Amino acid sequence: MLPFRRPAPHAIEAEIPRLRRHARGLLRDAAAADDLVQDCLTKALAAWNQRRDDGALRPWLFAILHNTWRNRLRREAIRPDAAMLDEDHPGPAVSGGQWEKLELQDLQNALDMLAPEHRSLLLLIGVEGLSYEEAARAQGVPLGTVMSRLTRARERLRILMAGESGADPNRPRLRPGLKRVK
């Protein structure tokens, strides 16, 4: 029987802000993000003995967070009638004349329009600073898949932010331009 390896509390505690930031980026709801992080940490502590010694803690925790998030998405797809209590709550108000806030809002809207696996990957690499290899381990996909998804995600984000007509016709543009009439 293997001896019980106790987690180093300071090592896990140091990762909580990153996990919360990533969860908030995925869910856009602070309370739901905190619940997701709590579920992630509960699973991590329960599976601590199964963790490989050679694996880094951060990618392992992000993999658990990512899998827990994906499981929630699947569960919500099965029960589409379940509504969030805060659906009618408006987003944050934008102060007049502050372009930076408008651009940030456009960026958030564009991120929401991305496929979940693309948004997750952009947040892991762009915000959390994970390497491609760590992101591949966290999402459980090959390195080549990470690279191709990241390329597609960045291109899609660029198109959405520019409001170009090359955007997916099934998705609305962020700032619709003038319509040409002949």
Side-chain angles (χ1 to χ4, degrees), residues 74-134:
R74 285 187 200 104
R75 201 169 41 240
E76 289 171 5
I78 293 171
R79 298 182 304 132
D81 56 345
M84 293 293 293
L85 295 177
D86 293 332
E87 276 184 4
D88 295 330
H89 187 271
V94 178
S95 302
Q98 296 186 6
W99 290 104
E100 293 81 12
K101 286 188 178 184
L102 288 173
E103 288 175 350
L104 181 60
Q105 187 178 28
D106 282 351
L107 177 61
Q108 288 176 341
N109 291 338
L111 284 170
D112 287 341
M113 290 181 183
L114 293 176
E117 58 273 359
H118 290 169
R119 180 175 60 244
S120 174
L121 193 57
L122 277 174
L123 293 172
L124 283 174
I125 293 173
V127 177
E128 299 304 330
L130 265 65
S131 69
Y132 287 8
E133 293 84 10
E134 291 172 330

Side-chain angles (χ1 to χ4, degrees), residues 38-87:
Q38 183 176 351
D39 290 347
C40 168
L41 294 174
T42 301
K43 290 178 181 181
L45 290 173
W48 188 260
N49 286 338
Q50 299 169 1
R51 186 171 162 263
R52 290 181 289 185
D53 288 331
D54 63 337
L57 179 62
R58 185 178 301 162
W60 184 66
L61 288 173
F62 274 105
I64 293 171
L65 182 80
H66 178 78
N67 291 336
T68 305
W69 172 65
R70 295 297 291 178
N71 289 338
R72 283 188 180 185
L73 287 179
R74 285 187 200 104
R75 201 169 41 240
E76 289 171 5
I78 293 171
R79 298 182 304 132
D81 56 345
M84 293 293 293
L85 295 177
D86 293 332
E87 276 184 4

Side-chain angles (χ1 to χ4, degrees), residues 2 19 38 68 125 132 138 141 151 161 178 180:
L2 293 174
L19 292 169
Q38 183 176 351
T68 305
I125 293 173
Y132 287 8
V141 296
T151 300
M161 290 300 293
L178 296 175
R180 185 174 183 170

Side-chain angles (χ1 to χ4, degrees), residues 138-149:
Q139 289 199 337
V141 296
L143 179 61
T145 302
V146 166
M147 293 167 58
S148 64
R149 281 184 184 172

